[in-house]
Amino acid sequence: MKSSDLKRALAVSVRAAKGAGKMMRANWRSPKKINSQSQHDIKLELDVRCQKEITRILQSSFPDVPVLGEEATTGDVEEQFRWVVDPIDGTVNFTYGIPHACVSVALQGRKKGEFETLVGAVYDPFCDELWTAVRGQRAQLNGRAIRVSSRKQLKEAIVSMGFAKEKSTLAIMLPVMNALIPEVRKIRIMGSAALSMVYVATGRTDIYTEYGVRLWDIAAGGLILECAGGEFWNREVDNTYGYHVIANNGLLRARLEEITGALAISSF
Ligand code: LIP
């Protein structure tokens, strides 16, 4: 994709993220219509409406690029390019009125057969914070360059975590949390993977790790983190876009794995 197309893709990603963010703000204090829920997850009717609005905006500029979203898939998402979208990341927070949720929009393209993220936008409508990145360029927050932290000691690190949505992922991540708590400054479990990724990119936290997080939660944040000098270690763990992720400032993964490795955590 030419650089002019990437620039156009970034512009429409931002338009789509802000458009859905506006819908989140407008509905924040309204009663929420729940489409489905489980013990550790909620899906709102607004998720679907936001996904539709994002898809409409994206395809107004790129009518032939398919959309892989948490709420729906439009077109053949195995083609050369695809949008990867989470219309509301942090849906449980949003449902309960906790103002920590965002919109995540990424453009991916195939390189040697594998998808890589080329453009990413994460928008937090509550703080009016927009993170953006184009592969090969510096990540930005509200138009200003950002960089990961330079903390090298785990004991200084703030580690954010997620437990995904299943009892099985909870069982995997609880031992990780118990092993890390005595070793780090603080653990934070904030409920939005995309915001956790961009907080590492911005130096607000130092590590984010989750097992069973979905591609649409992390695609944009992963590029933004890499374009801010961080490391986005990830591996696919099932055939439904599930990932094990260790996002960090590029200085801390080895130390983290010394601790979690004892749990044979890297083997699951
Ligand atoms: C959420 C993720 C979070 C994870 C939650 C949920 P959603 O995404 O951002 O990291 O722990 O289980 O998957 O469902 O709010 O878009």
Side-chain angles (χ1 to χ4, degrees), residues 149 151 153-161 184-190 200 203-208 247 252:
S149 74
R151 284 181 280 267
Q153 303 287 328
L154 210 52
K155 65 183 178 185
E156 299 172 334
I158 293 182
V159 179
S160 68
M161 303 179 69
V184 301
R185 176 91 71 195
K186 289 291 183 184
I187 295 278
R188 292 288 182 261
I189 303 166
M190 299 174 73
V200 178
R204 294 175 180 171
T205 59
D206 307 289
I207 299 173
Y208 155 66
L252 289 165

Side-chain angles (χ1 to χ4, degrees), residues 40-41 70 86 88-92 162-165 191-194 208 210 213 217:
H40 303 299
D41 191 29
E70 180 170 31
D86 191 343
I88 302 178
D89 185 54
T91 302
V92 173
F163 292 91
K165 307 177 184 218
S192 166
Y208 155 66
E210 183 160 359
V213 70
D217 298 323

